[in-house]
Amino acid sequence: MKLKVYADRMSQPSRAILIFCKVNGIEIEEIHIELSKPINPLKKVPAIVDGRFKLFESHAILIYIASAFPGVANHWYPADASRKAKIHSVLDWHHLNLRRGTAGYVLNTVLAPLLGLPLNAQAAAEAEKVLVSSLSTIENIWLKGDGPFLLGSFRPSIADLSLVCEIMQLQLLDEKDHDRIIGPYKKVQQWIESTKNATKPHFDEVHNVLYKLKARLSAQQSSKADGQIKAGIKAPIFSKM
Amino acid sequence: MKLKVYADRMSQPSRAILIFCKVNGIEIEEIHIELSKPINPLKKVPAIVDGRFKLFESHAILIYIASAFPGVANHWYPADASRKAKIHSVLDWHHLNLRRGTAGYVLNTVLAPLLGLPLNAQAAAEAEKVLVSSLSTIENIWLKGDGPFLLGSFRPSIADLSLVCEIMQLQLLDEKDHDRIIGPYKKVQQWIESTKNATKPHFDEVHNVLYKLKARLSAQQSSKADGQIKAGIKAPIFSKM
């Protein structure tokens, strides 16, 4: 029986699991669950069902698949206790730092109106602080080793995949805002590219839904900008603003 | 060389690690680090140093010690991949649920003034929602099995210890507030007692610093209440309020 993966590709942890399975040749049945229609008792995706075994929480799922399925290369989740521990440490850190910052910032600058929620400038400002501090930690601590991946590794681990899928959510930002936030972090940018390359073509295929939403948001924004210019022509008073 | 544990017993994850080592007879050198004087690159306690190996993030530390040190009974972190996965799932869930709710609520109702910060009623209200929903999840999902511990187990795991140490932070609340919040959750209360019993006498010994602060806060509160009564006698206008 195939591993069932309940996922919404708009959710970054769902994408991490889908990419991981595809890269490692694990056959899955992907069951699309919109975030607004949850299936598991804690009302979250992603979740997996392996025979009679059910599991959720993306990090726990990545570790389980890496441990229980044959054919997953050791670099994804090394057998060595110390290297494993360092990966756990990054994954734990992720929750209250990179995830909190990214999710809070994207929600309060872009996604809220699409979900029928008000934009909250104060929450966005607080989330931005957490996000910037998290990017700085990745740049200066997690990526300070020799290799292009976290913890100085030369091959990616489940932590690289999980964190890069999180950061990809920033694609939804207005381009100027995106560049302002991520621009200063050169190693982070190289690391995203290295992770994409190490998992292609699955990385882009699974992110396609995000790229499409991004294109739709950009189109909306430029038509809004056009509208403002036209309004400016019609009502010259605005040109003074 | 003894395992070095950098800890502040006022921090719930520090306590979980100290109790775990003591219960399992692991000799440690405890190095007291006040939260305001951090030692590791991400400015957090707890952290451990095992020979040349450094690690932080309490869940990663508990897993590492349970895996790398001989003599830790299997129930704390079972070898079986499925049981391990369920424990990881609870630990991951902890971060953005029980921890966020408990830490946010205690900070914004009790601790903020001690740290020179203002109390924030809105943040307290938001944290209370997360806290109550987390307690309800523990009561109705994680504790719905046969045994007295999480996931229906008959012996505690590192997840029980980590979550119970978190909930103990609620001891710092005003008694009425504590009872209002935790009162409805009978299984949660029994589970706290079971975890205390399974780890005594270390549990209370390590929590002693918390109990002492609790006593100090209660004394302050009752002298404040006395003060208000006296002020009421002096200035009867307040009796109309």
Side-chain angles (χ1 to χ4, degrees), chain B residues 174 219-241:
Chain B
D174 163 51
Q220 269 180 11
Q221 238 166 10
S222 57
S223 77
K224 214 159 84 182
D226 281 357
Q228 277 163 358
I229 292 166
K230 280 177 203 150
I233 293 167
K234 270 193 194 162
I237 194 163
F238 284 102
S239 65
K240 290 183 189 161
M241 287 179 77

Side-chain angles (χ1 to χ4, degrees), chain A residues 42 54 56 86 89 141, chain B residues 42 54 56 86 89 95 141:
Chain A
L42 297 196
K54 294 173 190 169
F56 59 94
K86 289 283 191 186
S89 179
I141 298 177
Chain B
L42 298 195
K54 293 174 191 169
F56 60 94
K86 288 283 190 185
S89 179
H95 288 287
I141 299 177

Side-chain angles (χ1 to χ4, degrees), chain A residues 3-71:
Chain A
L3 177 71
K4 287 188 175 125
V5 179
Y6 294 82
D8 178 343
R9 291 185 178 204
M10 274 308 297
S11 115
Q12 53 280 39
S14 292
R15 293 196 301 266
I17 290 164
L18 293 172
I19 295 168
F20 184 69
C21 290
K22 285 166 188 270
V23 170
N24 286 290
I26 295 166
E27 277 199 73
I28 60 166
E29 179 188 345
E30 180 182 347
I31 297 131
H32 176 67
I33 301 289
E34 277 182 45
L35 281 172
S36 52
K37 294 174 192 161
I39 55 114
N40 68 53
L42 297 196
K43 305 197 173 110
K44 294 201 294 186
V45 293
I48 59 165
V49 177
D50 183 20
R52 281 166 45 188
F53 181 68
K54 294 173 190 169
L55 189 67
F56 59 94
E57 283 293 338
S58 71
H59 295 164
I61 292 172
L62 287 168
I63 292 173
Y64 174 76
I65 298 176
S67 309
F69 284 73

Side-chain angles (χ1 to χ4, degrees), chain B:
Chain B
M1 207 190 303
K2 276 188 200 170
L3 177 71
K4 288 189 176 126
V5 179
Y6 295 82
D8 179 342
R9 291 184 178 204
M10 275 307 298
S11 115
Q12 53 278 41
S14 292
R15 293 196 301 267
I17 291 165
L18 293 172
I19 295 168
F20 184 70
C21 291
K22 285 167 189 268
V23 169
N24 287 291
I26 295 165
E27 278 198 72
I28 60 167
E29 179 187 345
E30 179 182 348
I31 299 132
H32 176 68
I33 301 288
E34 277 181 46
L35 280 171
S36 53
K37 294 174 192 162
I39 55 114
N40 68 53
L42 298 195
K43 304 197 173 108
K44 294 201 296 185
V45 292
I48 59 166
V49 177
D50 183 20
R52 280 166 46 187
F53 181 66
K54 293 174 191 169
L55 189 67
F56 60 94
E57 284 292 340
S58 70
H59 295 165
I61 292 172
L62 287 168
I63 292 173
Y64 174 76
I65 298 176
S67 310
F69 284 73
V72 176
N74 186 56
H75 63 85
W76 287 108
Y77 186 59
D80 175 71
S82 312
R83 292 184 61 202
K84 220 173 227 176
K86 288 283 190 185
I87 290 173
H88 293 159
S89 179
V90 175
L91 290 173
D92 282 332
W93 171 86
H94 181 188
H95 288 287
L96 285 169
N97 295 280
L98 184 65
R99 178 180 305 277
R100 203 157 63 98
T102 308
Y105 191 71
V106 173
L107 177 68
N108 285 294
T109 52
V110 179
L111 286 185
L114 304 181
L115 301 167
L117 298 168
L119 287 172
N120 180 333
Q122 200 200 329
E126 279 165 21
E128 185 178 340
K129 270 190 221 158
V130 179
L131 171 56
V132 165
S133 144
S134 301
L135 291 171
S136 162
T137 296
I138 297 173
E139 179 94 0
N140 299 311
I141 299 177
W142 304 124
L143 287 175
K144 83 173 170 191
D146 293 334
F149 297 103
L150 298 172
L151 305 166
S153 301
F154 288 88
R155 307 285 308 269
S157 78
I158 53 173
D160 294 280
L161 195 51
S162 175
L163 272 60
V164 168
C165 284
E166 188 77 48
I167 292 181
M168 286 303 288
Q169 214 72 354
L170 299 177
Q171 290 286 324
L172 296 178
L173 300 180
D174 163 51
E175 209 147 316
K176 257 173 70 182
D177 207 22
H178 177 269
D179 294 349
R180 178 179 63 80
I181 285 181
I182 212 161
Y185 303 104
K186 303 299 175 201
K187 282 190 194 169
V188 169
Q189 292 170 47
Q190 284 162 13
W191 162 64
I192 295 169
E193 285 311 307
S194 303
T195 305
K196 277 187 190 177
N197 282 331
T199 55
K200 69 182 174 191
H202 311 290
F203 191 96
D204 279 336
E205 188 252 312
V206 171
H207 278 83
N208 205 24
V209 58
L210 189 79
Y211 302 151
K212 278 186 184 162
L213 177 58
K214 162 76 183 164
R216 228 176 67 203
L217 288 170
S218 298
Q220 269 180 11
Q221 238 166 10
S222 57
S223 77
K224 214 159 84 182
D226 281 357
Q228 277 163 358
I229 292 166
K230 280 177 203 150
I233 293 167
K234 270 193 194 162
I237 194 163
F238 284 102
S239 65
K240 290 183 189 161
M241 287 179 77

Side-chain angles (χ1 to χ4, degrees), chain A residues 133-152:
Chain A
S133 144
S134 300
L135 291 171
S136 160
T137 297
I138 297 174
E139 179 95 0
N140 299 311
I141 298 177
W142 304 126
L143 288 174
K144 82 172 170 192
D146 293 334
F149 297 103
L150 299 172
L151 305 165

